[in-house]
Amino acid sequence: TNAHPRQLQRKLDATGIKHFFDHIISSHQLGMAKEELLFWENLKTKFPFENDRTLLLDDNVNILEIASLYGVKYVFGIKRPNSRGATIESCKFHLIEDYSSLL
């Protein structure tokens, strides 16, 4: 996530999804945003992961594109990032309504 670590913790507390993941990384830990290809290279150096076993959920189609370009296998968009806002559209990426669809 690009969220600040404190904001990330609030999101994790609200959703209750933390236990599903081995690692949850804030871009603040790497000093660059997920929109940069170098983010993914630095992430893999500091937190080794296997591209074909890695999941990214994001509400930004540009970030989904970069992660996919880097080779992240499971790239999903969030259809309605804000419960009061508009939905996003994508022909390339599967968009989920809520996290329960991942179970």
Side-chain angles (χ1 to χ4, degrees), residues 2-57:
N2 280 339
H4 186 277
R6 284 185 298 243
Q7 182 184 15
L8 172 59
Q9 189 58 53
R10 283 193 293 269
K11 289 179 179 184
L12 293 174
D13 292 344
T15 61
I17 63 171
K18 184 176 182 175
H19 68 278
F20 289 109
F21 302 98
D22 294 329
H23 301 286
I24 300 173
I25 309 302
S26 168
S27 61
H28 290 259
Q29 292 170 265
L30 299 177
M32 62 189 64
K34 297 179 294 184
E35 292 88 342
E36 300 177 50
L37 195 55
L38 188 57
F39 166 88
W40 297 95
E41 293 170 6
N42 287 344
L43 177 65
K44 194 167 208 170
T45 299
K46 293 186 179 193
F47 301 96
F49 62 90
E50 298 173 40
N51 287 27
D52 64 342
R53 294 175 41 98
T54 299
L55 166 69
L56 174 71
L57 301 168

